[in-house]
Amino acid sequence: MKIKVLFLDDIFSDLFRQTLDQEQLVFDDTWSASLEREFSRTRDIGADFEIVKSGDIENWQQLIEKERPDIVLLDLYWHEHARKKWGDVRRAVDISLDTLKQLRKRYKDLPVIQYTLKPNQQLMEQSYAAGATFFLEKVPLAIAEVHCSLKYIMIYLMRNR
């Protein structure tokens, strides 16, 4: 089974990368690399994952049409994009939730796994109300065993489409 994942995260955005220094990027870069490594270890489970990384959330629709992903992995917070759009980083969640609502209108059955660092009940409820299929906490995702579970969640979602 081939599973194409569109990995939308501000860590892949030039806007984000140009704003923060290398020391601040280490956690996100390590997490992203760890996730990619785990998704490359899938021969024995009958799944082949292709990861398409992008920080271009404004062009989400063009990305979906071009890449035809099976699943979208979507970061919840887009601080620098909110600062640029509204001059207010407190609206960082709005970027993602607005995108998710639009995405859900156009692609009703496309699984979307949303994640963030340190979620709370209100954020999770907002995410599910906007159309998230599944919600994950980012910190534990840095652990290889959790990446493995994420692979199985994605396989499950694909089998049930």
Side-chain angles (χ1 to χ4, degrees):
M1 170 187 318
K2 290 191 178 272
I3 301 174
K4 190 172 200 177
V5 180
L6 176 56
F7 190 179
L8 274 173
D9 195 310
D10 61 345
I11 64 174
F12 307 125
S13 162
D14 290 338
L15 180 62
F16 182 82
R17 298 194 79 77
Q18 292 166 358
T19 306
L20 301 176
D21 63 35
Q22 282 302 113
E23 288 181 23
Q24 292 174 296
L25 296 172
V26 169
F27 171 79
D28 286 319
D29 287 343
T30 302
W31 175 76
S32 171
S34 174
L35 185 66
E36 286 184 90
R37 258 190 321 277
E38 188 58 40
F39 278 100
S40 69
R41 301 177 190 154
T42 57
R43 290 183 206 103
D44 296 340
I45 61 172
D48 180 23
F49 288 88
E50 178 185 350
I51 308 291
V52 176
K53 301 183 291 186
S54 179
D56 191 7
I57 195 165
E58 294 89 3
N59 292 310
W60 65 267
Q61 188 171 345
Q62 291 87 349
L63 283 165
I64 289 175
E65 289 172 8
K66 176 185 174 204
E67 299 297 339
R68 301 280 184 217
D70 298 301
I71 294 176
V72 175
L73 193 56
L74 177 61
D75 188 16
L76 182 62
Y77 281 96
W78 293 75
H79 294 96
E80 296 308 318
H81 290 75
R83 182 188 320 274
K84 180 181 174 188
K85 186 171 184 174
W86 296 300
D88 187 355
V89 296
R90 293 172 298 176
R91 296 193 61 191
V93 172
D94 294 341
I95 298 283
S96 182
L97 293 178
D98 290 348
T99 298
L100 181 54
K101 288 173 189 174
Q102 294 171 33
L103 186 155
R104 194 48 69 214
K105 286 178 189 174
R106 180 143 173 115
Y107 303 96
K108 292 177 180 20
D109 297 327
L110 181 62
V112 178
I113 299 173
Q114 195 156 50
Y115 60 91
T116 191
L117 185 72
K118 300 181 183 176
N120 60 43
Q121 183 179 1
Q122 180 183 4
L123 287 174
M124 291 188 312
E125 287 176 9
Q126 287 177 316
S127 178
Y128 284 124
T133 308
F134 199 81
F135 195 93
L136 293 171
E137 184 174 351
K138 189 173 181 177
V139 173
L141 287 177
I143 301 168
E145 291 80 7
V146 176
H147 289 317
C148 197
S149 296
L150 180 56
K151 286 190 304 192
Y152 292 110
I153 290 167
M154 289 184 174
I155 290 169
Y156 173 80
L157 291 172
M158 291 304 304
R159 290 181 60 143
N160 287 298
R161 271 185 88 177

